[in-house]
Amino acid sequence: MELSMGMTSRVEVEEDSDNNKGSMWDLDQKLDQPMDEEAGRLRNTYREKKFSALLLLRLAFQSLGVVYGDLGTSPLYVFYNTFPHGIKDSEDVIGALSLIIYSLTLIPLLKYVFIVCRANDNGQGGTFALYSLLCRHANVRTIPNQHRTDEELTTYSRSTFHEQSFAAKTKRWLERYAFRKNALLILVLVGTCMVIGDGILTPAISVLSASGGIKVNHPKLSNDVVTVVAVVILVGLFSMQHYGTDKVGWLFAPIVLLWFLLIGGIGLFNIWKYDTGVLKAFSPVYIYRYFRRGGRDGWTSLGGIMLSITGIEALFADLAHFPVLAVQIAFTVVVFPCLLLAYSGQAAYLMQNKEHVVDAFYRSIPESIYWPVFIVATAAAVVASQATISATFSIIKQALALGCFPRVKVVHTSKKFLGQIYIPDMNWILMILCICVTAGFQNQSQIGNAYGTAVVIVMLVTTLLMILVMLLVWRCHWILVMLFTGLSLVVECTYFSAVLFKVDQGGWVPLVIAAAFLVIMYVWHYGTLKRYEFEMHSKVSMAWIVGLGPSLGLVRVPGIGLVYTELASGVPHIFSHFITNLPAIHSVVVFVCVKYLPVYTVPEEERILVKRIGPKNFHMFRCVARYGYKDLHKKDEDFEKKLFDSLFLFVRLESMMEGCSDSDEYSLYGQQTERSREALINNNGNITSSFADPTISSIDSIVQIKSPSHANFTVRSSGQTSSQAEVDEREFLNNCRDAGVVHIMGNTVVRARRDSRFYKKIAVDYIYAFLRKICRENSVIFNVPHESLLNVGQIFYV
């Protein structure tokens, strides 16, 4: 039988999660499916989505509820935080308004909506999305578990550049020393910790400010009543998180749109009623006069002005479900003009009512619509809080996937949207901290100071990461990079210098929260890195395994042993530890590696790689399950089924090939791998087999193309003999599977050496050990039955 193996292109196919019970397509279905028709259908769908103006407007409308809630509720508290001690001169209101106008123009409009949002990772935003982009364009990952085959994924997009270009020099500069990689990681972790701080402070200040409207019409109410109302709303908000936003999310966009129309309309009314002269604030001259007149007080008031641009990081982090153009349309058509009108209207009201600065927003509402606006304001504050909490869950999930956060339970709350998740442990921690901040301060001004500190640090982190993205990913001219960097840092460093004056007035809160989370995340990452390095340095040589013979020097008992390891190549140390301490091993051994890549998702059809270890009669395989930082183990009970589906498909594809060798010729890796990845294809079916690749050459891969003369991949097999061997091995695997599956997991304990410094002992022996104790076990994550679990313990010292 002659099979001509041809090249084919990959097509990423979206599958409805309701029908995703078997993530691996059945082999016969794969061989018969006309991929050209499927590709054509997807291209037509893409064109329709791309050019449908109606769909774009609908997405822009929906983005209001998810992306702009936090930014939209800022008018509730900006002027009070700008003038916490009252307004001394009416001209100060004009100067503050001018600062607000230009802050909204420079940071949210120009920097984020039109520049930073374009730096998304296939639609994913946030600090870790930028880090993932950089990891794909430069070798800056601190855990080096990446394989060359990972770069062949359809979602692993990256650009190339000339070796003498400025981008190449930047890449080499980053990669030269390990401390630069660590510095980049710490920078990302700092930004992540500040976003977590936002997840605590945004609900606190938004809900407390909205609840403050009760006191305007009932001046005799104490602050304690307002605080209690805010705490009740917050408890209800966090308690409802486990239901997800899928069922009520359709309400968010209408609520936020109504909110923007109301504040824009009220602002326009107040400008007409009180003082149209506030429109002169569009002249930047009043900014200069404001600082000259106010001196140091004017400078420190920037901490309050900066609250007008809060929510921009949530904007970037929640970008996932909307195209950038839809987000840009929503901001320029609705959000930006309505915010300008809202702030201008409040300024016009304050020009004649300076004593009402404490609750300027509610005081400026016409009495006839006061209570309807109060209800919408409270609803908008809840939506804004929800958006920030969702962004916090999302970024924690990304940190978890990249080995920078302890293993916690992640619940997928929507069957339609992969990005809608819920993290129970973090939800309750956020709720407790949020209630403590709200009840502890009972003051919008101090919470505002804390909020401002968190926001400005996140903005600085984003700017620094964007510099690298512009150089490595976009390959911009250095003049454009300098222009962007200069404008961003001038504005953000100015705000940062202002919030430093308020560290003792509440600004310390996000610093303490961020410091605690930074210690947790960095210590966890350090422990994870050291465990990986231990496995790498102590892995077993292939020669030793081959020397044991097909029986591995033990009794091979019926069944399949799944040995979990962090290594994507080589035989892990726990296996040698296992076979030297026990008298028997299973008839089939499969080394399972689950690793996360710096991509947002790995398509199901490309998820699992299968390789054979040793000669066929050893019955040893490796399965590498690859995930992106947005992927979830949605149905853990199917994970074992996916592995075996891939294994059986591998055996069938392998039997179609000629030239499998038990030799140790590994020199063809660079020449043959890319072509052989695409070569295991039946011309009639046009399927890709990147998830079942028997030709990936590595230290533990025996299945291999013999020589470059086979580059055309015209394979002649002996027909019945090969088919019979395939059937026999598949039957053998099925029998072993029926006999039982045992999950073998390494329980590696990390300890600090006796001569280590005291801070290392504290970090490893206490903090990391405590985190390991309270985090979820791998067996729980993969839903391994307790009766099928075998832990192999080992201790190593760092």
Side-chain angles (χ1 to χ4, degrees):
M1 179 176 64
E2 182 173 310
L3 299 175
S4 178
M5 302 296 185
M7 302 290 285
T8 185
S9 60
R10 295 186 184 89
V11 178
E12 181 179 350
V13 181
E14 292 184 12
E15 294 179 326
D16 188 279
S17 54
D18 288 334
N19 301 322
N20 198 22
K21 295 180 180 178
S23 65
M24 293 293 176
W25 291 345
D26 182 81
L27 182 62
D28 294 331
Q29 180 183 353
K30 280 190 169 231
L31 292 173
D32 295 335
Q33 184 177 9
M35 291 295 287
D36 291 338
E37 295 179 10
E38 182 70 13
R41 184 182 64 81
L42 289 176
R43 283 195 295 270
N44 291 335
T45 304
Y46 176 75
R47 289 195 188 100
E48 289 172 8
K49 287 184 178 181
K50 185 175 181 180
F51 296 108
S52 173
L54 188 62
L55 178 63
L56 197 62
L57 291 176
R58 192 181 75 182
L59 290 172
F61 165 70
Q62 292 175 350
S63 71
L64 289 172
V66 177
V67 175
Y68 292 114
D70 190 6
L71 189 64
T73 53
S74 298
L76 288 168
Y77 45 78
V78 167
F79 276 108
Y80 171 54
N81 283 276
T82 304
F83 302 107
H85 307 296
I87 301 173
K88 298 176 183 178
D89 191 337
S90 297
E91 286 297 310
D92 289 343
V93 178
I94 302 296
L97 177 61
S98 186
L99 280 167
I100 291 172
I101 290 171
Y102 284 98
S103 295
L104 283 170
T105 303
L106 291 174
I107 302 298
L109 180 64
L110 295 181
K111 179 185 174 182
Y112 274 85
V113 173
F114 286 104
I115 298 177
V116 174
C117 283
R118 290 184 58 243
N120 61 84
D121 182 14
N122 288 284
Q124 308 298 321
T127 308
F128 268 100
L130 295 178
Y131 183 62
S132 296
L133 277 175
L134 294 175
C135 287
R136 295 207 299 272
H137 288 80
N139 183 23
V140 294
R141 287 198 70 182
T142 52
I143 300 180
N145 65 343
Q146 200 160 315
H147 197 274
R148 186 177 298 182
T149 55
D150 299 333
E151 300 175 9
E152 302 298 323
L153 289 170
T154 53
T155 52
Y156 199 101
S157 58
R158 66 173 183 171
S159 56
T160 57
F161 33 77
H162 193 269
E163 284 299 318
Q164 300 302 318
S165 64
F166 193 73
K169 294 177 182 177
T170 306
K171 177 177 179 291
R172 289 193 292 271
W173 180 84
L174 268 178
E175 296 173 349
R176 186 170 295 128
Y177 298 108
F179 81 89
R180 290 173 183 168
K181 300 179 183 180
N182 287 326
L184 180 62
L185 176 66
I186 291 174
L187 181 68
V188 172
L189 294 183
V190 167
T192 303
C193 294
M194 287 300 172
V195 172
I196 295 173
D198 283 351
I200 296 166
L201 297 170
T202 298
I205 193 170
S206 298
V207 174
L208 186 62
S209 300
S211 304
I214 301 174
K215 198 175 176 183
V216 174
N217 272 14
H218 300 83
K220 295 181 180 180
L221 285 177
S222 67
N223 285 332
D224 293 338
V225 175
V226 176
T227 303
V228 169
V229 172
V231 168
V232 169
I233 294 174
L234 289 172
V235 170
L237 173 64
F238 282 100
S239 299
M240 298 294 288
Q241 289 300 311
H242 68 282
Y243 291 110
T245 59
D246 194 27
K247 296 180 180 178
V248 295
W250 61 273
L251 278 173
F252 288 177
I255 289 172
V256 175
L257 178 60
L258 180 60
W259 168 251
F260 276 118
L261 294 177
L262 279 173
I263 62 174
I266 292 170
L268 191 62
F269 173 78
N270 288 333
I271 293 171
W272 170 78
K273 181 179 180 181
Y274 293 105
D275 190 355
T276 57
V278 295
L279 297 179
K280 61 188 178 183
F282 282 88
S283 170
V285 173
Y286 290 92
I287 296 177
Y288 168 74
R289 294 179 181 175
Y290 177 76
F291 287 131
R292 188 182 63 179
R293 188 170 49 252
R296 176 176 173 174
D297 290 340
W299 192 265
T300 56
S301 70
L302 285 173
I305 298 290
M306 202 197 64
L307 296 180
S308 63
I309 56 177
T310 56
I312 48 178
E313 279 303 321
L315 177 157
F316 185 40
D318 285 328
L319 192 64
H321 298 301
F322 306 100
V324 174
L325 185 56
V327 173
Q328 292 172 342
I329 290 173
F331 188 84
T332 53
V333 174
V334 177
V335 179
F336 188 62
C338 287
L339 285 176
L340 292 183
L341 288 173
Y343 288 118
S344 299
Q346 285 188 50
Y349 176 82
L350 289 174
M351 291 292 286
Q352 297 185 18
N353 302 276
K354 293 192 293 290
E355 67 281 3
H356 291 166
V357 69
V358 175
D359 39 31
F361 175 78
Y362 282 113
R363 293 280 187 176
S364 65
I365 299 173
E367 189 174 350
S368 58
I369 61 170
Y370 179 83
W371 289 111
V373 173
F374 170 76
I375 293 171
V376 176
T378 306
V382 170
V383 172
S385 304
Q386 177 61 56
T388 310
I389 294 169
S390 298
T392 305
F393 289 160
S394 177
I395 204 163
I396 289 174
K397 172 63 178 68
Q398 294 177 24
L400 174 66
L402 295 176
C404 297
F405 203 86
R407 294 185 298 269
V408 291
K409 184 179 182 180
V410 179
V411 180
H412 190 243
T413 60
S414 173
K415 294 181 179 180
K416 298 179 181 177
F417 301 107
L418 183 63
Q420 292 186 8
I421 58 175
Y422 166 63
I423 303 176
D425 300 331
M426 283 305 303
N427 181 66
W428 304 123
I429 291 173
L430 291 177
M431 185 188 78
I432 292 169
L433 292 175
C434 188
I435 291 173
C436 289
V437 168
T438 306
F441 286 127
Q442 299 186 10
N443 187 321
Q444 293 179 34
S445 178
Q446 287 185 315
I447 299 177
N449 295 337
Y451 195 18
T453 304
V455 170
V456 72
I457 292 176
V458 176
M459 288 195 302
L460 284 169
V461 169
T462 302
T463 298
L464 296 176
L465 292 176
M466 278 298 300
I467 295 172
L468 294 175
V469 169
M470 294 177 77
L471 289 173
L472 292 176
V473 183
W474 292 351
R475 291 173 291 170
C476 295
H477 195 277
W478 65 270
I479 294 179
L480 292 176
V481 178
M482 291 296 293
L483 184 64
F484 170 82
T485 305
L487 288 175
S488 297
L489 290 182
V490 165
V491 175
E492 290 161 11
C493 288
T494 302
Y495 281 127
F496 184 66
S497 65
V499 300
L500 287 178
F501 288 106
K502 298 189 176 184
V503 170
D504 60 336
Q505 302 171 33
W508 57 270
V509 173
L511 298 179
V512 171
I513 294 172
F517 277 102
L518 181 62
V519 169
I520 290 171
M521 295 171 75
Y522 190 77
V523 167
W524 181 264
H525 179 77
Y526 177 80
T528 304
L529 175 62
K530 290 303 176 184
R531 287 179 61 204
Y532 180 81
E533 288 178 349
F534 170 75
E535 286 207 21
M536 278 292 294
H537 295 151
S538 60
K539 63 184 180 181
V540 182
S541 69
M542 194 61 218
W544 183 75
I545 294 292
V546 174
L548 294 176
S551 66
L552 298 177
L554 304 171
V555 177
R556 300 296 291 262
V557 297
I560 297 179
L562 299 181
V563 183
Y564 289 82
T565 174
E566 295 182 13
L567 295 180
S569 63
V571 178
H573 178 71
I574 61 166
F575 183 68
S576 64
H577 189 61
F578 179 80
I579 64 177
T580 52
N581 288 277
L582 292 176
I585 190 67
H586 301 88
S587 299
V588 177
V589 176
V590 181
F591 296 101
V592 181
C593 171
V594 177
K595 68 175 183 177
Y596 285 86
L597 302 177
V599 295
Y600 75 102
T601 187
V602 176
E604 288 282 353
E605 65 271 17
E606 299 180 70
R607 176 148 296 164
I608 297 180
L609 287 167
V610 179
K611 297 189 281 190
R612 185 184 294 277
I613 299 178
K616 285 188 176 183
N617 56 353
F618 277 55
H619 300 297
M620 295 174 64
F621 302 89
R622 173 181 307 285
C623 290
V624 180
R626 306 176 295 180
Y627 290 85
Y629 55 79
K630 278 289 185 180
D631 290 329
L632 295 170
H633 299 285
K634 292 182 290 182
K635 297 178 180 179
D636 293 338
E637 64 272 14
D638 284 345
F639 183 70
E640 186 180 309
K641 179 180 181 299
K642 295 175 185 178
L643 289 181
F644 289 123
D645 286 347
S646 303
L647 194 57
F648 291 141
L649 181 57
F650 167 83
V651 171
R652 179 169 181 181
L653 289 173
E654 185 189 42
S655 69
M656 296 162 56
M657 294 188 60
E658 178 186 72
C660 295
S661 172
D662 292 346
S663 67
D664 290 327
E665 298 172 3
Y666 305 116
S667 61
L668 300 178
Y669 175 77
Q671 303 170 28
Q672 295 294 123
T673 297
E674 183 176 350
R675 288 176 290 183
S676 61
R677 282 174 53 81
E678 300 288 348
L680 296 177
I681 302 151
N682 184 307
N683 278 343
N684 295 328
N686 286 333
I687 64 167
T688 62
S689 58
S690 59
F691 60 95
D693 184 1
T695 63
I696 299 172
S697 177
S698 69
I699 191 168
D700 59 359
S701 179
I702 300 298
V703 179
Q704 191 177 43
I705 303 299
K706 274 187 175 179
S707 68
S709 63
H710 290 265
N712 292 328
F713 298 104
T714 299
V715 180
R716 291 177 175 81
S717 65
S718 56
Q720 185 61 32
T721 303
S722 176
S723 177
Q724 185 63 44
E726 169 212 333
V727 172
D728 289 345
E729 186 163 20
R730 291 178 68 186
E731 184 178 351
F732 176 75
L733 291 174
N734 270 320
N735 292 335
C736 291
R737 184 180 182 182
D738 293 338
V741 178
V742 175
H743 300 258
I744 304 169
M745 293 189 172
N747 186 17
T748 306
V749 178
V750 184
R751 298 270 176 84
R753 292 191 181 95
R754 290 184 179 180
D755 58 346
S756 300
R757 296 181 183 271
F758 75 95
Y759 57 82
K760 187 175 182 180
K761 290 182 178 179
I762 292 174
V764 175
D765 292 343
Y766 295 97
I767 300 177
Y768 183 72
F770 175 73
L771 294 174
R772 284 266 296 177
K773 190 174 182 179
I774 64 173
C775 76
R776 301 187 89 206
E777 295 290 340
N778 275 326
S779 58
V780 178
I781 293 175
F782 297 112
N783 201 27
V784 176
H786 184 70
E787 61 274 11
S788 301
L789 176 63
L790 179 61
N791 274 313
V792 180
Q794 53 185 346
I795 300 175
F796 80 97
Y797 294 88
V798 296

